[in-house]
Amino acid sequence: MAEINIPDDEKHALGRVDARELDRLIDDALREESATRLFSLPLADCGPYVAGRLRSFERALADHGQARAPRKRAETGERARRAGRDLAYAVAAMKHRLAQEEKDGQLFHVDDRIMPPTHFSNRLSVCIGYRWRRSIEEEWNYGSITFHHDIDPRPDYAAPVPKRKLSAARQAQETQERLYQTWEDLTRGGLQSVKEFLKAGGTGSDIPLAHRASVDPHSRGLNNHSTKFWPQPS
């Protein structure tokens, strides 16, 4: 699912991680060549970025623990230290993002809790809701914008030809999967565009009720500028 906001459970987990304690536990893990002490922190619940760096650190520690030759120990030790630094950086980066979200949230919020339709056609759309205010003393204003995108029905001759003809059911399934991916791209682009506009100081009253996504002139699909609803430089 397309998201631009840190989920509540990840926010809670990040709030429970103290940076100094994390640094101390990373040093302990390097000295003991084991990540066991890190399990006291909810790092695996801090989102995929932090969880991925945690797994990399665990693998690096395991490789270091299995190394025996001095040269190999030196190589794996350096990789483990680098992985530990990457883990600490990932947590710091997510905490910074969380602080920025909380600051932005005093003036605007874009709702990314959007459920996909159960069936897709070549005419895709997604409605994105938001709220905004000019200062924290004002009441919230609410609005929404619907992004539309019509799939180009012409065949993509650059796509690989299947080795054998697919059944009608399989063709229908693959069509729905492609449409879902495009809908996800439309949703993600729309969310980012609304957030970018409000973060730059735009007001919700200047956001249109609807916007038809532009298409890339070469791929005939969506690109990074397709959902930008304000005038773009030529």
Side-chain angles (χ1 to χ4, degrees), residues 50 76-77 97 106 109 120 132 138 140 150 152 192 203:
V50 173
T76 56
R97 178 185 165 189
Q106 297 181 31
H109 177 77
F120 297 92
W132 88 98
E138 294 185 8
W140 285 109
D150 292 341
D152 191 329
Q192 291 289 357
T203 61

Side-chain angles (χ1 to χ4, degrees), residues 3-230:
E3 293 180 344
I4 58 169
N5 303 312
I6 300 176
D8 289 341
D9 56 340
E10 294 178 17
K11 291 180 181 179
H12 180 66
L14 285 165
R16 292 168 54 198
V17 178
D18 179 79
R20 291 185 178 181
E21 182 183 9
L22 174 61
D23 289 341
R24 179 179 61 80
L25 292 176
I26 288 175
D27 289 341
D28 290 344
L30 289 167
R31 184 176 61 257
E32 298 170 5
E33 301 178 8
S34 169
T36 301
R37 290 182 181 270
L38 287 170
F39 297 160
S40 62
L41 299 177
L43 297 172
D45 300 323
C46 290
Y49 180 33
V50 173
R53 294 301 181 270
L54 174 61
R55 290 191 296 272
S56 295
F57 187 43
E58 290 174 334
R59 288 194 297 269
L61 286 173
D63 291 342
H64 185 51
Q66 294 171 3
R68 293 293 178 264
R71 181 175 178 180
K72 186 67 172 178
R73 292 274 300 171
E75 293 175 354
T76 56
E78 177 55 32
R79 284 201 295 270
R81 286 188 290 273
R82 185 164 57 249
R85 292 193 296 269
D86 289 345
L87 173 59
Y89 174 82
V91 171
M94 287 302 298
K95 280 181 168 290
H96 176 75
R97 178 185 165 189
L98 176 57
Q100 187 62 53
E101 272 194 19
E102 291 174 344
K103 179 181 178 180
D104 292 341
Q106 297 181 31
L107 297 178
F108 70 86
H109 177 77
V110 183
D111 189 0
D112 62 2
R113 296 171 300 177
I114 302 173
M115 295 300 295
T118 57
H119 183 80
F120 297 92
S121 70
N122 284 344
R123 306 192 71 177
L124 302 175
S125 65
V126 58
C127 181
I128 294 175
Y130 55 88
R131 65 174 184 261
W132 88 98
R133 56 187 177 184
R134 292 180 177 85
S135 70
I136 58 176
E137 290 78 20
E138 294 185 8
E139 295 294 325
W140 285 109
N141 301 290
Y142 294 84
S144 66
I145 176 174
T146 300
F147 292 92
H148 298 278
H149 174 54
D150 292 341
I151 301 293
D152 191 329
R154 291 176 294 175
D156 182 4
Y157 295 105
V161 179
K163 295 182 179 179
R164 60 180 180 178
K165 186 176 181 180
L166 301 177
S167 67
R170 181 57 182 168
Q171 289 183 46
Q173 180 183 348
E174 290 195 355
T175 296
Q176 285 297 299
E177 290 172 354
R178 287 195 299 271
L179 291 173
Y180 171 72
Q181 184 59 60
T182 304
W183 180 87
E184 277 264 292
D185 293 341
L186 179 67
T187 302
R188 187 176 294 106
L191 289 168
Q192 291 289 357
S193 291
V194 175
K195 180 178 181 179
E196 179 182 340
F197 182 79
L198 294 173
K199 188 176 179 64
T203 61
S205 56
D206 292 328
I207 298 178
L209 293 176
H211 175 75
R212 185 161 298 280
S214 60
V215 297
D216 188 282
H218 302 291
S219 68
R220 309 197 310 266
L222 301 174
N223 60 27
N224 292 336
H225 302 283
S226 295
T227 53
K228 292 186 176 180
F229 47 83
W230 57 96

